Amino acid sequence: MKISYNWLKQFIKIDWDAEKTGELLTDLGLEIEGIDTYESVKGGLKGIVIGEVLTCEQHPNADRLKLTTVNIGADAPVQIVCGAPNVAAGQKVSVATIGTTLYTTEGEAWKIKKGKIRGEESHGMICAEDELGLGESHDGIMVLDDKLKVGTPVSEVFEIENDEVFEIGLTPNRADAMSHFGVARDLKAGLLQKNIQLELITPSVSSFHVDARSLKIDVDVQDKEKAPRYCGVTISGLKVESSPKWLQHRLKSIGLSPINNVVDITNYVLHELGQPLHAFDANKISGNKIEVKTCKSGTKFTTLDDVERELHQEDLMICDAEKPLCIAGVFGGIDSGVTESTTSIFLESAYFNPVSIRKTAKRHALNTDASFRFERGIDPNITEYALKRAALMITEIAGGEISSDISDAYPNKIKDFEVRLSFDKTEQLIGEEIPRETIKSILTSLEIKVNNVTETGLGLTVPAYRNDVQREADIIEEILRVYGYNNVGTTEKLNASISNSTRFEDYKLQNIIGNQLASQGFFEIMANSLTTPNYTELSEQLNSENNVEMLNPLSNDLGVMRQSLLFSGLEAVAHNINRKRSDLKLFEFGKTYHQYSENREEFKHLSLFVTGNKSEERWNSEVTASDFFYLKGTVEAILQRLGLSHLRSTPIKTDLFSEGVTLSLGKKKMVDFGLVKKPILKHFGISQNVLFADFNWDNVLEMAKHNAIKFKPIPKYPEVRRDFALLIDNTVTFDDIHTIAKQTEKQLLKNINLFDVYEGKNLPEGKKSYAVSFTLLDEHKTLNDKQIDKIMSKLQYNFETKLGAELR
C-alpha cells in the first residue's frame, strides 16, 4: 500500500523527515518496505531559471537558428543558440543552465553542456514546455510573464509537486490502516508516546446542505445481511472534465492514473478515508430507483473492463428497476459509469459484508481497491461522513448542486466490541509492568474507550472498525505495539528449563525415517491440505459427507480438506511426469481430515510414492523398473527401523489399490501398500504404474512407544519356502488365495506372501499371473519332502478346484 507523505501531513502536521517517520511507522506495526520519490515533473525543474532575452539576431551560419544573449541573473549575460521560431528580444523565458539534466517524453535523461552550434558558442538552452515536462507543445519556446524576476528558479513559478511515498507492507488484519487517515491515526498514537502531542485533523463536512430536491432516486436494500448499510445522494448540473493539477498529483503519487474529476474524487476519498465510493450516471438509472439485491444464477453482466461475466446467485448487485448496474463493492458496469456527457450522478457509499465481497471477488478473479478494503472490513460509522466529503468536493471541483437528501439504509447498527483487560494478564504477556496511566493513554489514543477502571483491570469499548481487536490478547498487542517492542527491557539473567522428552517424540521419529528415505533416493514433498471435493468420487472408501468443507474457499478446487494423501501425491507425480521426470520416489508426512457426525478428526500419515525405474540409467548396470517387491522392502525397512516386527500380512481391503497388502501389529493397522488402480491414475493423466504406501502414523507412533524389545530362541528347525506361479482369472483376488491356503493348512503354514503380479502380453484374455510364496515351519522337528509335497499338493488341488487356477 502506498502512502503519500505530503498527503499524510494534511492530517497531522509533522515536521520529521520521511526516514524518521518511516521508522516510527514500522515500530507501530506498519512496516515500511521502501520510500520512493515522486516528482510531478521529472527532475523537479532543478537548474531551470527565469531568463530575459536581451538580443536576438539571425545565426550567421544557419537560416533556422537565432543567436541570443540572455540575462539569467548571473554576473554576465550568456549566449544561447535557439531554434524556436517565436524567440524575440524582451521575452521572459525558461533557461536550462549548463549542467542541468532534462528528460525526454520516454524518460531518458540528457545533460545540458557548453558547446558550439554551427560555429557559435551556446551556454544553455531556452526551453519549450514539452522539454520541461510542463505540457505537450513543441511549437516554440515558453514565453513567460514579464513581471517575473530574472534568475528565479522555475520550480517556484509553476505548480509542481515533490513528494516522498511510503510503501507499507500492510498485514491483512490492519483494515483500519488502509487509508491516509488511518495511518495518521496510528502515527498520532506513536508520537504521543514520545511526548509529542499533535492534533489529528479531519476534513470538515459542516457545510454540506441540500441545494434543491430536484432529483430523488429511491433506494431499496433487499439483502440487508450482505449490505448492512447503504447511503446515496444525487448531484445535478455538474461538468465532467479533467481534475485540477493538485488532485492529479495526489493520485499519481500513489500510483493511480487520473480519469476525470468525478471518478478521481471517489478514488481520492477512498485513499483518504478508506471508504470506497461509486458514482453512477443518474440518467442511466431506469425508474429512478436503486435496488441492492442478488440476481439469478447465470445472469450476464458486462463490467468496466468490457468483459462479460456470468453472475452467481450469491453475488450482491446494485441494480436499477430493470437491470444490474454494478457488482457491489467489487467492480462497476460498463453501461452505468460516469462519462464526459454525464451531468448528474447518484453517489454511493456503503458498508458491505466482508465475506460476501471476498467470495464474489474470488469467483470473478477481480481484485480492486474497493474489494481489497470491503473484504477486510471498513469502518461502518464513516459511511455517511465520507459521502458528504465526496459530495462537497464534487460540487466544488465539478460544479453542480446537491439535489436530494441522503438516503441512509442502516436498519441494524453494527455494535462496538466490549472487552475486559486484566493488568496481571498484560504484565504476564508483555514480560514487564507498564504504568497503568500509560496503558490508558495508549488505548485512548487508539480511540478505544475506557468505560471503567478497577484495581484489577479495565472495561473497554473497541470501535467497530477495529474488527481485529476483539479479545484481551488483541488489546495487549495494541498496547505493546504503541508502547514499543524496543522499549521492553531484557533481564540480565536468562532462565531456561530442559524438558523431558523421549526418543519416541513424533518429530524425532519423522527425522529418523525421513533421513532413511532420503538416503534411499526419496524426495520429500509437502502438498496442500486443501483439495477438490471431486476426489471422493474416485473411491467408495471416501464419502463426501466426511469432507471438512471450507466456509470461504480460495477456489472450487480448494474447497475441502483432504481425506487421503493419495490424490495430492498423484498431483505431484503427474506434475513431474509432465516435465520429463518419470522415475520418482516421493514421501510425505501429512494429515487427513474427516467430518464424523458433529465431530471432526484428523489423522497423521506417512505416504510413499514409487514409479518408473529404481535407479538412473548407467553403463555398468541394467535399468530395472520399480515393482511391488521393491516397495515392500522399503516399507518393511521403515517398520524394522522403528523396532516393529512380527507383523501380520493380510490382503488389502480398499478400492484405491488394484493389488496390495495390509500390515498390522495386533489389532492396529500399520500400513496399506500396493499398486494404485489404473482408473485413478487415468484421472490424473498418468499412464505408468504407481506404487503407493499409506502408513497410519498415529498407530506407528503408539506401537513404537509401547513395543518392548522381546527375545526368543532362534527356531531349531529350518523353515521351508515354496512358490507357486498361478494363472488365475482377473476376478480372483489375493484374499481368495490367502483364505483357501489358511483353510488348507492351519498349523505348519506360517506365512503367505504375494511377491509379483503380471498382467499383460502372452497371457490369455481375462487372465493374470500371481507369484505367491508359502512359508512352512514345524517348531518341533524338521519337515521332510514327503510332508512338504503333501501340503503343496493340497494347496494346488484346492486352488485348481476352487479358483480355476493353473500352475505356470
Side-chain angles (χ1 to χ4, degrees):
M1 183 183 72
K2 294 183 182 295
I3 293 293
S4 157
Y5 198 22
N6 287 351
W7 199 344
L8 192 65
K9 290 177 180 177
Q10 290 183 337
F11 294 101
I12 188 164
K13 300 298 183 183
I14 185 172
D15 57 1
W16 287 5
D17 61 51
E19 198 75 32
K20 188 176 180 181
T21 301
E23 290 175 2
L24 178 55
L25 289 174
T26 298
D27 290 342
L28 289 167
L30 303 177
E31 183 181 359
I32 302 300
E33 297 177 341
I35 302 176
D36 299 322
T37 299
Y38 168 77
E39 297 172 328
S40 60
V41 175
K42 194 168 179 64
L45 299 180
K46 294 175 183 176
I48 316 293
V49 298
I50 302 297
E52 181 179 8
V53 181
L54 302 178
T55 64
C56 180
E57 301 174 354
Q58 186 65 42
H59 192 292
N61 303 318
D63 294 338
R64 296 188 177 182
L65 298 178
K66 300 289 179 64
L67 197 62
T68 66
T69 55
V70 182
N71 177 13
I72 60 172
D75 295 337
V78 296
Q79 179 173 286
I80 299 176
V81 176
C82 180
N86 64 328
V87 63
Q91 294 173 336
K92 294 286 179 67
V93 293
S94 299
V95 179
T97 57
I98 300 297
T100 298
T101 300
L102 297 179
Y103 297 86
T104 65
T105 53
E106 290 78 24
E108 295 181 9
W110 57 287
K111 186 173 287 189
I112 301 296
K113 299 178 181 179
K114 175 183 176 181
K116 286 188 176 183
I117 302 177
R118 292 293 183 93
E120 296 292 336
E121 288 188 356
S122 184
H123 298 264
M125 174 175 151
I126 303 176
C127 301
E129 64 179 39
D130 66 328
E131 293 166 333
L132 297 179
L134 295 173
E136 299 179 358
S137 173
H138 194 70
D139 295 335
I141 61 169
M142 290 179 65
V143 179
L144 305 176
D145 192 338
D146 288 340
K147 298 177 182 178
L148 293 175
K149 183 179 178 181
V150 170
T152 302
V154 171
S155 59
E156 297 178 7
V157 176
F158 291 95
E159 185 182 341
I160 68 168
E161 174 115 355
N162 295 316
D163 198 357
E164 290 168 296
V165 181
F166 300 110
E167 183 67 46
I168 297 180
L170 194 66
T171 52
N173 64 306
R174 292 302 308 279
D176 62 297
M178 293 188 297
S179 65
H180 286 75
F181 180 74
V183 173
R185 182 168 49 206
D186 254 23
L187 188 58
K188 177 192 174 185
L191 290 169
L192 193 61
Q193 294 308 302
K194 297 183 179 297
N195 297 317
I196 301 174
Q197 196 161 0
L198 295 178
E199 180 186 0
L200 185 62
I201 303 168
T202 55
S204 173
V205 295
S206 60
S207 61
F208 179 89
H209 66 278
V210 179
D211 297 301
R213 293 174 175 82
S214 56
L215 179 59
K216 182 183 179 183
I217 293 182
D218 295 324
V219 174
D220 179 18
V221 180
Q222 297 180 15
D223 195 327
K224 296 178 176 59
E225 182 181 348
K226 290 184 173 65
R229 188 175 191 183
Y230 190 90
C231 296
V233 71
T234 63
I235 303 174
S236 304
L238 54 80
K239 183 179 181 181
V240 178
E241 57 188 0
S242 296
S243 298
K245 291 293 184 184
W246 69 265
L247 179 52
Q248 292 189 36
H249 293 331
R250 284 283 179 265
L251 297 180
K252 286 179 180 179
S253 69
I254 57 172
L256 298 181
S257 299
I259 299 173
N260 59 55
N261 49 10
V262 174
V263 175
D264 291 351
I265 288 169
T266 61
N267 286 332
Y268 180 89
V269 173
L270 181 149
H271 289 277
E272 178 186 52
L273 302 175
Q275 171 66 56
L277 304 166
H278 191 73
F280 300 90
D281 189 325
N283 294 325
K284 298 176 182 177
I285 299 176
S286 300
N288 278 358
K289 186 176 183 180
I290 288 291
E291 296 180 354
V292 185
K293 62 182 183 180
T294 56
C295 297
K296 290 182 179 179
S297 182
T299 302
K300 305 293 184 182
F301 180 69
T302 304
T303 45
L304 279 171
D305 54 359
D306 204 19
V307 174
E308 185 180 72
R309 304 179 188 275
E310 191 171 296
L311 299 180
H312 187 273
Q313 61 192 15
E314 294 296 319
D315 292 337
L316 185 66
M317 301 296 295
I318 310 300
C319 308
D320 60 18
E322 299 176 356
K323 60 187 181 298
L325 303 174
C326 171
I327 302 178
V330 180
F331 212 24
I334 196 168
D335 296 323
S336 62
V338 174
T339 64
E340 292 181 355
S341 60
T342 298
T343 57
S344 58
I345 63 170
F346 175 78
L347 187 62
E348 164 197 281
S349 178
Y351 176 88
F352 296 120
N353 182 285
V355 174
S356 171
I357 297 300
R358 179 169 176 77
K359 287 183 176 180
T360 296
K362 291 296 179 184
R363 270 194 292 267
H364 297 289
L366 291 170
N367 183 21
T368 61
D369 283 339
S371 68
F372 179 82
R373 285 158 176 78
F374 276 128
E375 65 191 33
R376 285 161 175 78
I378 61 171
D379 185 356
N381 295 319
I382 67 164
T383 309
E384 183 181 11
Y385 169 75
L387 183 68
K388 290 180 178 180
R389 168 68 170 157
L392 288 172
M393 289 185 67
I394 290 172
T395 55
E396 178 184 346
I397 293 172
E401 60 182 14
I402 296 171
S403 51
S404 75
D405 292 312
I406 290 177
S407 298
D408 187 1
Y410 194 18
N412 301 309
K413 183 176 173 60
I414 297 173
K415 296 180 180 179
D416 295 336
F417 310 110
E418 302 293 333
V419 182
R420 177 73 186 173
L421 175 68
S422 163
F423 292 132
D424 289 341
K425 185 69 172 178
T426 303
E427 182 179 350
Q428 179 186 347
L429 286 183
I430 293 177
E432 70 175 47
E433 183 178 4
I434 297 178
R436 297 182 180 185
E437 288 303 317
T438 301
I439 290 176
K440 289 191 285 184
S441 172
I442 290 173
L443 294 174
T444 303
S445 69
L446 293 173
E447 299 184 355
I448 296 175
K449 183 180 177 183
V450 179
N451 296 323
N452 56 73
V453 183
T454 66
E455 286 297 318
T456 58
L458 303 173
L460 305 171
T461 299
V462 182
Y465 67 81
R466 290 308 307 269
N467 50 42
D468 62 320
V469 183
Q470 300 184 28
R471 305 171 302 165
E472 182 181 38
D474 300 328
I475 295 288
I476 296 172
E477 182 184 2
E478 290 297 294
I479 294 169
L480 184 54
R481 73 177 181 84
V482 176
Y483 179 74
Y485 291 95
N486 297 331
N487 294 327
V488 177
T490 56
T491 59
E492 296 180 357
K493 182 181 179 182
L494 180 63
N495 297 320
S497 60
I498 300 175
S499 61
N500 181 24
S501 63
T502 72
R503 60 192 180 95
F504 297 108
E505 291 289 339
D506 186 7
Y507 75 93
K508 291 183 179 179
L509 296 186
Q510 284 194 30
N511 286 338
I512 289 170
I513 300 305
N515 289 335
Q516 177 173 313
L517 288 169
S519 69
Q520 293 178 268
F522 279 77
F523 288 90
E524 185 172 8
I525 62 174
M526 288 185 287
N528 198 337
S529 295
L530 298 176
T531 188
T532 173
N534 299 331
Y535 284 155
T536 56
E537 300 172 5
L538 300 177
S539 170
E540 294 180 1
Q541 303 292 123
L542 304 178
N543 193 331
S544 60
E545 294 180 359
N546 298 134
N547 280 332
V548 178
E549 298 181 350
M550 297 293 99
L551 295 176
N552 188 20
L554 294 172
S555 71
N556 293 331
D557 289 335
L558 299 172
V560 300
M561 303 191 78
R562 62 184 176 182
Q563 292 190 51
S564 170
L565 270 61
L566 173 62
F567 306 117
S568 53
L570 290 178
E571 288 175 355
V573 170
H575 181 86
N576 280 274
I577 290 175
N578 292 337
R579 285 154 183 79
K580 307 301 181 184
R581 293 181 60 89
S582 57
D583 301 331
L584 300 169
K585 290 186 283 188
L586 310 173
F587 74 96
E588 178 186 9
F589 287 99
K591 292 182 179 181
T592 59
Y593 306 86
H594 311 267
Q595 176 77 53
Y596 298 121
S597 299
E598 298 299 323
N599 297 324
R600 292 174 181 163
E601 295 187 26
E602 59 183 61
F603 305 103
K604 297 176 183 177
H605 291 261
L606 164 62
S607 62
L608 308 182
F609 297 87
V610 178
T611 185
N613 297 321
K614 294 181 185 177
S615 58
E616 294 180 358
E617 186 177 7
R618 288 189 174 88
W619 68 273
N620 60 350
S621 62
E622 293 184 6
V623 174
T624 55
S626 301
D627 54 16
F628 176 85
F629 192 72
Y630 173 76
L631 178 63
K632 182 174 182 291
T634 304
V635 168
E636 290 180 341
I638 291 172
L639 296 171
Q640 289 171 7
R641 179 66 182 85
L642 298 174
L644 302 177
S645 57
H646 304 292
L647 293 132
R648 181 168 52 90
S649 174
T650 56
I652 204 160
K653 295 181 180 179
T654 169
D655 63 353
L656 297 175
F657 300 89
S658 59
E659 303 293 343
V661 171
T662 297
L663 296 181
S664 304
L665 189 57
K667 295 182 179 181
K668 300 284 187 180
K669 182 171 72 173
M670 297 292 105
V671 58
D672 292 326
F673 65 95
L675 193 64
V676 180
K677 272 191 172 180
K678 290 189 181 296
I680 294 177
L681 299 179
K682 185 178 179 181
H683 180 84
F684 292 89
I686 301 173
S687 57
Q688 62 192 58
N689 288 337
V690 177
L691 295 154
F692 171 60
D694 182 17
F695 288 81
N696 187 320
W697 193 249
D698 290 312
N699 288 347
V700 170
L701 288 174
E702 183 179 349
M703 299 309 293
K705 292 176 183 177
H706 301 294
N707 187 44
I709 298 174
K710 297 179 181 178
F711 299 90
K712 71 175 184 177
I714 297 173
K716 294 180 180 180
Y717 304 99
E719 63 182 23
V720 177
R721 169 174 164 163
R722 291 290 185 266
D723 297 342
F724 276 168
L726 299 172
L727 184 64
I728 55 178
D729 293 335
N730 282 337
T731 56
V732 176
T733 66
F734 177 63
D735 187 29
D736 298 330
I737 296 172
H738 188 275
T739 301
I740 292 172
K742 280 294 187 181
Q743 290 172 349
T744 302
E745 177 56 54
K746 297 179 180 178
Q747 292 183 352
L748 301 181
L749 185 57
K750 300 301 182 182
N751 190 37
I752 307 160
N753 183 43
L754 175 67
F755 64 88
D756 192 27
V757 177
Y758 178 72
E759 296 176 298
K761 296 179 180 179
N762 304 322
L763 291 181
E765 186 176 351
K767 297 288 185 176
K768 60 185 175 181
S769 176
Y770 273 11
V772 185
S773 68
F774 303 89
T775 303
L776 305 170
L777 174 66
D778 189 332
E779 297 179 357
H780 304 291
K781 64 181 180 179
T782 303
L783 289 169
N784 56 45
D785 290 340
K786 186 176 179 180
Q787 290 174 296
I788 297 168
D789 292 341
K790 184 178 179 181
I791 294 171
M792 298 308 295
S793 295
K794 284 183 180 179
L795 289 171
Q796 180 181 348
Y797 176 77
N798 285 337
F799 291 150
E800 289 174 346
T801 56
K802 295 182 180 181
L803 299 178
E806 299 177 30
L807 286 183
R808 294 186 66 196

